Amino acid sequence: MWKYTFKRLIQGVITVWFIATATFFVMHNVPGDPLADAKAVSPEIRANLEAKYGLDKPVHEQYLIYLANFLRGDFGISFAQQNRYVNDIIYEHFPVSATLGILAIVFAGLGGVLWGALTALYRNRLPDVIIMFLVILGISVPSFVVAALGQLGIVNANNFFGTSLLPAVGWGTIAHMLVPSMVLGLGTMAYLTRLMRSSMLEIVNSDFVRTAKSKGLPPSRIFTNHQLRNAILPVITVLGPSIAAITTGGFVVESVFAIPGLGRYFVQAVQQSDYTVIMGTTVFYGAFLVFMVIVVDLLYAWVDPRVRLE
Amino acid sequence: MSEATLTPEDFRPAPATHAAQTLSRPSLSYWQDAWIRLKANRRALISLYIVMGLAAFTLLGPLVWDVDPAAQDVDQISKPPGADRSATVVEPYSAWDPSLQNGDGHGLRLAAPATNQTVRLVWDPDPHAAGYLIYRNIFPIGPENAFGLPLGETFSPNHTYFEDLLDLAPRRYYYTVVSLDAFGDRIGHETLEAEVKRVITADDAVVRGLADSPDALSVGDKVTLGLHPLGTDNLGRDMLARLMHGARVSLFIGICAPVIFMLFGVIYGSAAGFLAGNADQLLMRFADFVVALPFLLFMILFKILFDVGAGESGILPMLLAMVLLSWPGTARLVRGQILQIREEGYIGASRLLGAKTNYLILRHMIPNTLGVILVTLTFAVPSAIFTEAFLSFIGMGVVPPTPSWGSMCNEGIKTMLTTPHELIFPALFISITVLAFNLLGDGLRDALDARMRSMD
Amino acid sequence: MSSARTPDQTFDRFAGRQLLILALAGIAGITLLMVLLGWASSLTGASAGANVAVDPVTKTITLHMSTEPPQLNSSLATDMLSGMVLGHVMEGLLRYDQNSELAPGVAERWHIDGNGATFWLRKDALWSDGQPVTAHDFVFAWRLALDPENASQYAFILHPIKNAEAITRGELPVDALGVEASGDHTLRVELERPIAYFDKLVAFPTYYPIREDFYQQTNPRYGAESDTLLYNGAFMLTRWVHGAHLRLEKNPQYWNHEQIQINVLDFPYITTDPNAALNLFKDNKIAQTGLAAENLYEAMERRWQIQRFMDGSVFFVEFNFRDDRATKNLHLRKAIQLATDPAELVYKVTKLPGYLPGESIFPVWLKGVNGFFRQEYPAPAPTMDLDAAREHLAQAKRELGEIPALVLLTGDNPLSSLQSEYFQQVLRKNLGLDVRIDKQIFKQRLAKMTSGDFDMVMAGWGPDYDDPLTFGDLFASWNPNNRGMYANAELDANVEIAKTSLDPKTRMDAFGEIQRILIEDAAVLPNYERGSTFVVNPAMKGMVRRAVGLDPDYTYAYIDEP
């Protein structure tokens, strides 16, 4: 177990190095000039700016400096916000994205399991038809449309009731989190509902459920302990990859709802060719995802004894 | 114990009994069987028809509805489907001299009939005013004095005329002129209702192909403006034509990107599967690296890395970026399948019967992985379409004027409340396509892969 | 128990009940989680704004920002939003009053003559920590902005001061700058040469004071956070949660604080999405928002009082005059000039009241000798004439051979995409020209503009100071912002006159000539003068909007419940 963990960690570190290198070389070949601004600058000022960001050195030297700084956990200073460290930017904005992501995952997971179980229970009856229709909508409507409609819905509800039920835009309190995280989790929830439904239907007809029933176990126990529990397993298996999709997929929701998350920051940084911020956030996200995958794999092994670690 | 004596008779082949080999049902190949299953699945079948319909819409549509998707009709901007299209022919626009053409009568009045070419307002000077503000509303101003849009202002008490050219539509407008005193405070206002008529000049009618020559039309004639079955967008371009051409982009990316990356993934994965050992380890380790790159972040980075030059649509860079980032999934899947199939009993049996490697690959490996690959491909299409739409949404998509469903949605979302058709149509097409491919994928999975069969 | 039920139905009923219990538990769990996360995020500093747009009790006005200021070091600031925040929390020697006229700021009196200027500072001007604002703080700030080490992009705006340009180039040390503090409250400035508009320059953010000891103490994070900035303006920044929230509170140390009626200017929303801002306004969360063309219908339907304002910027199509470009040909440019109609662009495409069809690169609000410049020197703008345009095109074809596809460089925001698509189609329809749109993100567009990788570019220019020269020298051959490398000796000569002369009439004549040359030479095609259409909460009064200087200005705002 420890040996395996150690091996995975080493692999993870190499992967992160690969991501960092790929990001560095992609960024240094991107056309455009991070130092250009609306007002043209004189060559002298330009030279000074290049020196400040180390752009006057040859690329391989810049790469080594970048790796060395990166090892020390220093991503440098932003080009656009000339006196903010990239570390501060990540430190301030990542928790916001993470909060949004965690809530979205919880909504998606819980919603998926409940709706899936419900539709399986009422198979081919009205609730099933309604929910599966909504699921199909959830899968096939682009997230930015859902987000815009969600915001519009809040505003219309607020106007209708004449009070501020929920804030339409912004971040900070519980009320701000509710709708954005539901919108973010919607696609995943729809997917999980489908998965849960088919997994439930498979379990309902399985031998051990029939045995349990014929043994005369109380229905509530059969349902919870035999059916739900086993049906959830495949759902848990896909939750891992969903975490990655949701944490990086927050761009749209963050920009529509004006949430100060790292995703929105990344898009802005790209639009401004803010090299250091782009490299910092990409490497950070990459590292985060790599280690999340490791953690999730280890958790599986711990939860499900059938999974053996090589 | 008794000695059995074997005679040569015993070694004669038994007579062939045909009865044992007669099949009770006709023999079906894997694909025939799959097709029967698919046909039985109503949802999948409908989806298949939808996909074929979309293909026809994309490829044949522009032949039937031969309208330039870039042609702008500034007379019909953001028109919903089914809007009134009649127009009256008028003289060409000429500059206005308010001292000659000032309408008769008193108070706020029209100097000339109100048309969507121009509305000319004249009013009487207010002895106390130092200037005027001119407003226009599409609703009555009501007790709250909601004057509407501030169109302009004049800075002299005798400057008592104003020409409105701003985005005039054939409808009723409420014009208000507010008098201002020297301090800029409002000291009075006057309102006028004006019914604007849709007009067109003879020259414009010819340019739009509504008449053969300007002489064929005389002032006062009625013409009917060009038909736009699904309305127009914010530059007066035909929505139907744009949806058809947008479908080319969206479906091209949606289908080509998965096909190419799966092809690459299949080659890569099968190479790893066959080579095994260290080469396999090395190849798969590299695939792991690529998988670890955050997809959307690198999608954006690659998109700007492959500098889109002038006049290019930006489709190929997007395609390339998608292929570069998406292949490892397929490679892993195929490698896994190959490794698994190699150990299957029937492969061993086939080998015992003397099958050659080529035969094994052609007869067993490929058909048995093809089902899985096809299913994965079908599911990859919706996500590629979504990725394109997402990139267009954050402004990193195709370059204008090339339309794509995603970029049309992005434009339409801004006018969601006033002209919803600009959002609804492209969003509907995305949704239907994504849905059709998803359901088709479900159907194919049920039909092709017994182990992955879903329960409903 | 009814015996009519089959065992399956009974099972379903129990299972349904079980599911309901689970659902309730799940909802409880999520609520708990949200409370925890809400608490956790309040620890990191995020916070919600006030509940209403205008709160008469706490005298709070809540507003939104499109993006946050990159940073608030006044010597480095370049963008509008930094300027807006800095204008509220800092004060220069001079400021603009309610009527947008120059008014005393930190300087009580001033005197400008041919070779220099003297400013007498008020004694009661204080920093937010209670120390007096002195002439040394200005000397330090100006030297800092020019210091090559600091690499300020706005250093050029200090260049009228003696030796300033040489300092930026690193030829002279910073203390050679022609500015000195004589005592704490007198600032003497030596100018490189006489200029007519120095008083208008000193109201600009790059001229704001910075206190040396505080700067050294916080460097390099000066202006990065609310606590690494020292204030001498009407407000101070008490909270800055990056990307989320800026809060400005009344500065009790401000010399004129009794005149300030608003206690808090709160910016708890940062969003570039105009729809989101509009939704906030509808929700009565913010007191002011701009309207896009697509929002006008709703604004009328909701019976809002809509206002408009011209923000002073001019937008135009610049041509490339480098030798290898077809657009160097006068007849081609003339053809394009005569085949396009800015009025159609403004009235049919951008569709916003407040936009004015472009006729000149000098906007209508610039002041001339006595009245407005454009009334004294009407722009000789040509009217659209397709026949003449086609003749010019034929001439151009005779000179150039076949016209190659023209590259139209444009930005990635929706409005410039829309305009370039319109422009492309107009040139195709009217002249049969093949125009290729090159849509680039901001920095890539700038890089391509600088390297000359375009034929035409959609560009714009906002004024830095209230004098026609801020537009007039744009196409001088030596100006680095002249990205198309337009060179015209006659224009250069007139720019020189406008820069050096002190006589208003001579200067305005020179600007009139510049205007004529640019139009006759078809050097640039003005598209429009940008306007802004906006709605304001009726309870907020006294907001000032201006083309040059602090905009929007809430310093004089007050709350008046109707």
Side-chain angles (χ1 to χ4, degrees):
Chain A
M1 179 78 184
W2 290 115
K3 200 179 152 207
Y4 173 76
T5 312
F6 184 70
K7 199 176 140 202
R8 287 294 304 266
L9 281 178
I10 294 289
Q11 275 174 10
V13 169
I14 297 172
T15 312
V16 171
W17 167 78
F18 174 79
I19 295 172
T21 309
T23 318
F24 179 86
F25 285 101
V26 166
M27 269 332 286
H28 276 260
N29 287 303
V30 161
D33 181 359
L35 295 176
D37 209 332
K39 311 268 167 174
V41 295
S42 65
E44 295 84 16
I45 290 184
R46 208 192 143 75
N48 289 324
L49 280 173
E50 279 181 1
K52 176 173 172 182
Y53 290 104
L55 293 179
D56 50 348
K57 299 188 176 68
V59 172
H60 65 271
E61 209 168 304
Q62 287 186 42
Y63 175 65
L64 292 178
I65 294 173
Y66 162 75
L67 277 191
N69 285 340
F70 169 56
L71 277 178
R72 279 184 280 128
D74 174 10
F75 289 119
I77 302 173
S78 160
F79 278 79
Q81 303 194 306
Q82 293 167 25
N83 47 15
R84 267 185 97 194
Y85 293 104
V86 179
N87 291 22
D88 288 353
I89 291 175
I90 293 174
Y91 172 76
E92 278 176 48
H93 299 290
F94 179 68
V96 174
S97 293
T99 306
L100 193 65
I102 290 170
L103 265 183
I105 280 284
V106 172
F107 269 120
L110 197 73
V113 168
L114 287 176
W115 293 129
L118 196 69
T119 49
L121 206 56
Y122 291 93
R123 189 183 178 189
N124 294 337
R125 278 185 275 169
L126 193 64
D128 180 31
V129 174
I130 294 173
I131 293 171
M132 285 320 281
F133 178 74
L134 293 178
V135 161
I136 282 171
L137 277 187
I139 287 176
S140 56
V141 179
S143 59
F144 51 86
V145 176
V146 178
L149 289 177
Q151 193 181 52
L152 192 68
I154 300 178
V155 174
N156 284 341
N158 286 353
N159 280 329
F160 182 75
F161 290 106
T163 65
S164 209
L165 297 176
L166 285 173
V169 168
W171 188 249
T173 63
I174 307 171
H176 287 100
M177 299 171 182
L178 194 64
V179 176
S181 53
M182 278 162 116
V183 169
L184 182 55
L186 191 70
T188 312
M189 191 203 288
Y191 175 63
L192 293 183
T193 306
R194 267 161 49 113
L195 196 68
M196 182 70 189
R197 182 172 183 268
S198 51
S199 154
M200 267 301 265
L201 289 176
E202 206 171 322
I203 301 266
V204 167
N205 297 324
S206 66
D207 294 343
F208 62 86
V209 169
R210 209 168 298 138
T211 317
K213 277 189 184 169
S214 53
K215 270 200 314 194
L217 282 182
S220 56
R221 232 185 107 190
I222 300 176
F223 182 70
T224 324
N225 287 2
H226 291 81
Q227 296 188 1
L228 267 190
R229 221 178 234 190
N230 286 297
I232 283 175
L233 272 178
V235 174
I236 293 179
T237 349
V238 299
L239 262 185
S242 309
I243 291 176
I246 281 184
T247 29
T248 51
F251 299 124
V252 170
V253 172
E254 284 174 16
S255 69
V256 171
F257 288 95
I259 295 167
L262 203 52
R264 190 168 72 132
Y265 227 90
F266 176 80
V267 174
Q268 273 175 21
V270 167
Q271 277 155 355
Q272 294 170 333
S273 305
D274 195 340
Y275 280 12
T276 39
V277 174
I278 296 173
M279 293 195 289
T281 30
T282 311
V283 172
F284 176 78
Y285 258 131
F288 174 73
L289 292 181
V290 165
F291 289 103
M292 278 306 285
V293 168
I294 296 177
V295 169
V296 168
D297 282 358
L298 291 176
L299 274 181
Y300 284 158
W302 181 64
V303 169
D304 189 343
R306 283 175 303 180
V307 175
R308 270 188 310 124
L309 301 175
E310 25 169 327
Chain B
M1 271 193 87
S2 64
E3 291 274 316
T5 11
L6 292 170
T7 60
E9 212 48 18
D10 290 322
F11 290 93
R12 225 172 341 131
T17 48
H18 287 276
Q21 284 187 0
T22 308
L23 299 177
S24 54
R25 276 187 279 177
S27 163
L28 289 175
S29 75
Y30 175 63
W31 295 104
Q32 283 169 327
D33 177 53
W35 175 238
I36 288 171
R37 285 172 197 274
L38 193 68
K39 271 202 293 192
N41 184 336
R42 199 156 49 91
R43 271 194 282 180
L45 206 61
I46 293 174
S47 302
L48 190 64
Y49 291 145
I50 292 178
V51 169
M52 291 194 298
L54 282 168
F57 179 78
T58 317
L59 299 174
L60 304 177
L63 299 178
V64 178
W65 184 246
D66 184 16
V67 171
D68 180 4
Q72 298 167 4
D73 185 352
V74 287
D75 290 332
Q76 299 196 71
I77 280 179
S78 297
K79 283 284 168 293
D84 175 45
R85 295 184 287 124
S86 67
T88 314
V89 177
V90 290
E91 299 278 354
Y93 176 84
S94 57
W96 178 35
D97 184 349
S99 62
L100 296 176
Q101 191 190 34
N102 59 7
D104 294 323
H106 291 283
L108 180 58
R109 60 192 183 267
L110 292 169
T115 66
N116 67 336
Q117 197 179 50
T118 166
V119 174
R120 291 167 174 176
L121 299 171
V122 185
W123 60 93
D124 299 332
D126 180 338
H128 306 291
Y132 306 92
L133 286 173
I134 300 93
Y135 289 89
R136 182 181 86 192
N137 205 337
I138 51 177
F139 300 99
I141 62 164
E144 57 272 68
N145 280 348
F147 297 138
L149 303 182
L151 294 178
E153 52 208 311
T154 67
F155 299 100
S156 137
N158 297 316
H159 187 155
T160 57
Y161 53 88
F162 182 81
E163 180 171 32
D164 178 20
L165 299 164
L166 178 75
D167 189 28
L168 288 157
R171 67 184 308 155
R172 180 183 300 256
Y173 285 112
Y174 299 84
Y175 285 95
T176 308
V177 172
V178 177
S179 319
L180 300 176
D181 66 8
F183 307 103
D185 290 328
R186 297 173 172 194
I187 53 174
H189 69 264
E190 201 178 346
T191 299
L192 173 77
E193 270 183 54
E195 193 76 45
V196 167
K197 257 184 19 188
R198 195 205 306 275
V199 297
I200 189 166
T201 63
D203 288 339
D204 278 348
V206 174
V207 170
R208 310 232 188 295
L210 305 175
D212 297 329
S213 82
D215 308 323
L217 293 169
S218 54
V219 171
D221 285 357
K222 292 266 180 211
V223 291
T224 304
L225 298 179
L227 173 68
H228 300 290
L230 295 184
T232 56
D233 73 353
N234 55 0
L235 273 174
R237 294 175 293 203
D238 186 70
M239 285 289 284
L240 182 59
R242 280 178 74 73
L243 282 169
M244 285 170 177
H245 287 259
R248 289 188 177 176
V249 175
S250 295
L251 291 182
F252 178 76
I253 290 179
I255 293 172
C256 281
V259 167
I260 297 174
F261 78 66
M262 300 215 64
L263 210 61
F264 184 72
V266 167
I267 296 168
Y268 193 94
S270 40
F274 275 118
L275 293 174
N278 279 340
D280 174 39
Q281 281 297 313
L282 200 69
L283 286 173
M284 287 333 278
R285 207 48 70 221
F286 183 68
D288 286 349
F289 284 148
V290 179
V291 164
L293 297 176
F295 178 73
L296 285 176
L297 274 66
F298 264 81
M299 218 31 227
I300 295 170
L301 289 186
F302 277 145
K303 184 75 206 336
I304 54 170
L305 173 66
F306 307 133
D307 183 24
V308 180
E312 291 167 19
S313 60
I315 298 172
L316 288 180
M318 206 188 283
L319 196 72
L320 192 55
M322 220 178 267
V323 169
L324 279 180
L325 289 171
S326 308
W327 60 268
T330 323
R332 275 181 174 182
L333 185 81
V334 171
R335 172 181 170 266
Q337 287 281 320
I338 297 271
L339 288 182
Q340 196 186 338
I341 292 172
R342 271 164 67 131
E343 308 304 319
E344 292 281 347
Y346 61 85
I347 296 281
S350 188
R351 220 188 274 273
L352 275 182
L353 289 174
K356 302 235 162 51
T357 317
N358 282 347
Y359 179 84
L360 280 181
I361 293 174
L362 284 175
R363 188 77 189 84
H364 293 297
M365 300 277 192
I366 288 182
N368 277 303
T369 35
L370 210 54
V372 183
I373 290 167
L374 202 61
V375 171
T376 323
L377 182 69
T378 323
F379 283 119
V381 172
S383 74
I385 289 178
F386 268 164
T387 307
E388 187 275 323
F390 163 79
L391 285 177
S392 292
F393 177 74
I394 59 166
M396 299 268 163
V398 291
V399 179
T402 312
S404 83
W405 291 343
S407 63
M408 290 175 76
C409 269
N410 185 24
E411 282 161 22
I413 210 157
K414 287 173 275 178
T415 53
M416 190 163 67
L417 291 177
T418 43
T419 52
H421 72 278
E422 288 176 48
L423 171 65
I424 289 173
F425 290 125
L428 204 64
F429 270 95
I430 293 183
S431 301
I432 289 177
T433 314
V434 166
L435 187 62
F437 275 99
N438 268 319
L439 294 181
L440 186 63
D442 282 349
L444 280 178
R445 186 182 54 197
D446 292 352
L448 292 175
D449 190 346
R451 284 155 301 174
M452 289 162 77
R453 202 152 290 162
S454 82
M455 289 303 291
D456 50 5
Chain C
M1 282 292 267
S2 148
S3 55
R5 284 207 175 91
T6 65
D8 263 0
Q9 276 174 331
T10 321
F11 180 82
D12 281 3
R13 218 159 53 85
F14 274 103
R17 192 180 299 165
Q18 203 72 18
L19 212 54
L20 188 70
I21 295 169
L22 279 174
L24 290 177
I27 291 169
I30 284 188
T31 318
L32 188 69
L33 180 72
M34 284 179 69
V35 171
L36 279 175
L37 286 173
W39 174 74
S41 67
S42 74
L43 287 185
T44 58
S47 65
N51 212 27
V52 286
V54 176
D55 185 349
V57 182
T58 56
K59 291 193 181 165
T60 299
I61 291 178
T62 308
L63 297 152
H64 86 287
M65 264 184 209
S66 56
T67 53
E68 71 170 342
Q71 45 88 28
L72 290 172
N73 177 347
S74 55
S75 74
L76 294 176
T78 57
D79 65 300
M80 313 263 293
L81 273 161
S82 309
M84 198 277 285
V85 176
L86 279 169
H88 284 98
V89 299
M90 297 296 231
E91 188 174 55
L93 292 166
L94 305 180
R95 61 178 302 122
Y96 289 99
D97 68 5
Q98 278 117 310
N99 303 317
S100 299
E101 302 290 341
L102 275 181
V106 175
E108 254 172 339
R109 302 179 286 125
W110 66 97
H111 173 75
I112 297 177
D113 58 32
N115 298 314
T118 310
F119 297 89
W120 288 273
L121 275 52
R122 62 179 77 247
K123 304 234 163 31
D124 55 352
L126 299 178
W127 289 103
S128 48
D129 63 354
Q131 291 192 40
V133 179
T134 68
H136 304 285
D137 302 332
F138 287 94
V139 175
F140 175 74
W142 298 3
R143 284 178 179 171
L144 180 68
L146 289 166
D147 190 344
E149 294 282 301
N150 198 30
S152 167
Q153 299 181 16
Y154 253 100
F156 76 89
I157 204 155
L158 293 148
H159 283 179
I161 303 171
K162 194 174 168 74
N163 293 338
E165 216 170 332
I167 293 169
T168 327
R169 282 207 293 267
E171 289 160 11
L172 287 172
V174 284
D175 44 14
L177 186 67
V179 56
E180 65 168 328
S182 81
D184 278 352
H185 294 100
T186 314
L187 185 72
R188 286 189 206 286
V189 185
E190 266 184 277
L191 297 178
E192 191 77 44
R193 56 168 177 258
I195 57 163
Y197 52 92
F198 189 67
D199 51 344
K200 292 166 181 165
L201 285 183
V202 296
F204 196 80
T206 318
Y207 282 85
Y208 288 165
I210 296 173
R211 203 170 79 204
E212 186 168 5
D213 61 331
F214 188 82
Y215 179 84
Q216 301 299 3
Q217 205 181 307
T218 51
N219 194 32
R221 308 194 67 250
Y222 178 78
E225 310 287 341
S226 61
D227 55 357
T228 59
L229 189 59
L230 205 53
Y231 312 94
N232 77 325
F235 295 90
M236 34 186 212
L237 190 61
T238 53
R239 166 165 231 176
W240 185 0
V241 182
H242 283 284
H245 192 176
L246 281 88
R247 185 181 171 88
L248 276 61
E249 284 179 42
K250 190 167 159 178
N251 180 359
Q253 305 284 2
Y254 180 54
W255 61 271
N256 200 13
H257 66 94
E258 280 162 23
Q259 299 297 314
I260 307 299
Q261 302 198 36
I262 297 298
N263 286 340
V264 181
L265 285 175
D266 208 10
F267 297 86
Y269 311 104
I270 296 182
T271 173
T272 42
D273 180 359
N275 274 332
L278 187 76
N279 284 337
L280 283 169
F281 187 82
K282 277 195 270 188
D283 229 1
N284 194 24
K285 294 287 188 220
I286 55 174
Q288 186 244 321
T289 186
L291 297 173
E294 48 270 16
N295 307 132
L296 295 177
Y297 179 88
E298 197 176 14
M300 286 189 271
E301 193 179 28
R302 287 176 179 261
R303 321 201 63 69
W304 289 336
Q305 300 289 339
I306 306 166
Q307 302 183 40
R308 67 172 211 165
F309 148 78
M310 308 220 11
D311 74 358
S313 315
V314 178
F315 287 77
F316 41 78
V317 177
E318 254 180 273
F319 290 109
N320 194 342
F321 289 86
R322 286 168 179 79
D323 285 333
D324 54 337
R325 296 288 171 171
T327 41
K328 192 176 164 60
N329 182 286
L330 173 68
H331 287 287
L332 179 61
R333 297 198 307 273
K334 275 277 178 198
I336 295 174
Q337 184 185 42
L338 289 168
T340 50
D341 181 11
E344 187 174 77
L345 172 70
V346 167
Y347 294 134
K348 302 282 188 195
V349 179
T350 59
K351 297 188 282 188
L352 269 172
Y355 276 57
L356 212 60
E359 293 184 353
S360 161
I361 61 153
F362 293 99
V364 292
W365 52 268
L366 285 171
K367 292 188 196 82
V369 185
N370 298 309
F372 287 106
F373 172 78
R374 284 272 296 278
Q375 279 172 354
E376 290 167 2
Y377 299 86
T383 45
M384 186 167 160
D385 183 345
L386 283 184
D387 294 330
R390 287 178 190 135
E391 271 170 39
H392 278 293
L393 186 69
Q395 181 63 30
K397 281 183 180 161
R398 279 194 288 280
E399 288 170 15
L400 292 172
E402 207 43 47
I403 310 280
L406 299 175
V407 175
L408 174 62
L409 185 60
T410 185
D412 65 339
N413 68 325
L415 201 56
S416 47
S417 296
L418 188 72
Q419 286 162 8
S420 48
E421 282 174 74
Y422 164 77
F423 203 70
Q424 177 187 44
Q425 188 62 18
V426 162
L427 291 185
R428 197 176 87 172
K429 193 178 73 184
N430 290 348
L431 294 177
L433 287 176
D434 181 12
V435 175
R436 298 197 175 147
I437 295 176
D438 188 5
K439 177 175 147 179
Q440 297 291 350
I441 58 172
F442 184 60
K443 300 272 172 163
Q444 291 188 19
R445 183 169 67 96
L446 286 172
K448 286 196 158 187
M449 276 169 84
T450 310
S451 63
D453 192 3
F454 66 94
D455 290 303
M456 297 177 281
V457 57
M458 293 276 185
W461 192 254
D464 287 325
Y465 46 90
D466 187 6
D467 187 274
L469 187 62
T470 191
F471 293 96
D473 67 359
L474 205 49
F475 292 93
S477 57
W478 45 263
N479 192 327
N481 290 305
N482 174 5
R483 321 256 186 183
M485 298 271 186
Y486 177 67
N488 182 317
E490 200 187 347
L491 183 130
D492 285 358
N494 277 301
V495 171
E496 204 50 37
I497 296 173
K499 276 183 87 172
T500 49
S501 168
L502 289 177
D503 174 45
K505 179 79 174 88
T506 317
R507 296 188 70 229
M508 294 306 149
D509 282 347
F511 289 128
E513 279 300 291
I514 293 171
Q515 175 173 264
R516 182 189 60 77
I517 293 168
L518 287 176
I519 292 172
E520 281 179 6
D521 222 3
V524 56
L525 301 183
N527 277 339
Y528 54 84
E529 294 178 32
R530 187 165 67 181
S532 144
T533 309
F534 61 100
V535 280
V536 173
N537 187 307
M540 177 177 75
K541 297 264 166 40
M543 175 181 81
V544 181
R545 306 226 44 181
R546 47 174 89 94
V548 180
L550 175 54
D551 172 67
D553 185 352
Y554 300 99
T555 318
Y556 310 102
Y558 58 96
I559 295 171
D560 180 18
E561 289 277 10

